[in-house]
Every structure is written in C-alpha cells, then in structure tokens.
Amino acid sequence: MKKFRIFVMLFFIFYFYSFAIAADQRYNLSIENSPVIGNENAPVTIIEFIDYQ
C-alpha cells in the first residue's frame, strides 16, 4: 500500500509539473505579408482548454 501511495504522489507531481512547463512555451510567428488591423506589435495570449474525455 505504501508503494501505491508513493506512485500516486509521484504521478500527480509529474502531471502538474508538465502543465507548468507547457504554460511557459512561447513561439514567435512571422506576420510578413499578412493583413494586420491595429498595432503590429500588440501582445497576443492564446489559452488552450483541453478535455481528454
């Protein structure tokens, strides 16, 4: 039973740690030759909600 508790704790630690790493990923995209409305240098935040069911 003790091994199972340790396994469950490690699983949740790695599970939530992966979200912390994924939240910090940033990508630079080229907007050359793309139509733009507003400030070309405006910050953009994209939030992805995922349901694995």
Side-chain angles (χ1 to χ4, degrees), residues 1-10:
M1 188 71 178
K2 185 176 181 179
K3 288 182 181 181
F4 179 73
R5 270 194 255 168
I6 292 172
F7 172 77
V8 171
M9 287 186 339
L10 288 174

Side-chain angles (χ1 to χ4, degrees), residues 36-47:
V36 176
I37 298 175
N39 184 358
E40 292 183 15
N41 297 319
V44 175
T45 301
I46 299 173
I47 300 173

Side-chain angles (χ1 to χ4, degrees), residues 5-18:
R5 270 194 255 168
I6 292 172
F7 172 77
V8 171
M9 287 186 339
L10 288 174
F11 173 79
F12 281 111
I13 289 170
F14 288 121
Y15 180 76
F16 289 114
Y17 181 71
S18 67

